[in-house]
Amino acid sequence: MEPGPPPILTGRGILLIYSGRDRNNVYAVGAALFDRFDPGVLLARSEQPILTVQTAWEKTGTVPNVVFAEGLVIRGGRMEIYYGGGDRVIGRAVVDWPDGR
């Protein structure tokens, strides 16, 4: 596991987006939420990856089967994750972030 973009302080805690791999060397992106007053306390963690290898350019490349988060922006009611795919291409994934929770 490795951290992705810098953590973000939210109303519910510290949001950390991270990358990791499974036993088959397939990389994916997960999320964890830590207590804002005691960052040693994990409040929640995504049970499944929030971003997985899906497209041809993520499945092939310098290193196949790779997506890894590098940047994160919250704006206009959306969270945008900028990520590497196949160790050679940059992608952007967008999800609704209605009130910054």
Side-chain angles (χ1 to χ4, degrees):
M1 291 176 54
E2 62 183 61
I8 293 181
L9 182 60
T10 73
R12 295 187 177 186
I14 302 167
L15 175 64
L16 175 68
I17 303 297
Y18 63 91
S19 302
R21 67 184 169 111
D22 65 14
R23 292 181 181 101
N24 298 314
N25 286 328
V26 176
Y27 287 76
V29 176
L33 186 67
F34 296 90
D35 186 279
R36 68 182 300 158
F37 300 107
D38 185 357
V41 176
L42 176 66
L43 300 175
R45 181 175 167 219
S46 54
E47 291 184 27
Q48 298 295 319
I50 62 170
L51 180 63
T52 60
V53 172
Q54 295 181 8
T55 66
W57 56 270
E58 296 164 347
K59 294 176 182 178
T60 61
T62 307
V63 178
N65 297 313
V66 171
V67 290
F68 55 94
E70 292 295 324
L72 182 129
V73 176
I74 296 177
R75 66 174 160 208
R78 300 185 316 177
M79 178 171 67
E80 303 175 18
I81 298 175
Y82 293 85
Y83 68 97
D87 252 11
R88 66 179 179 92
V89 180
I90 297 172
R92 181 179 72 136
V94 180
V95 297
D96 289 334
W97 188 268
D99 60 7
R101 292 186 285 164

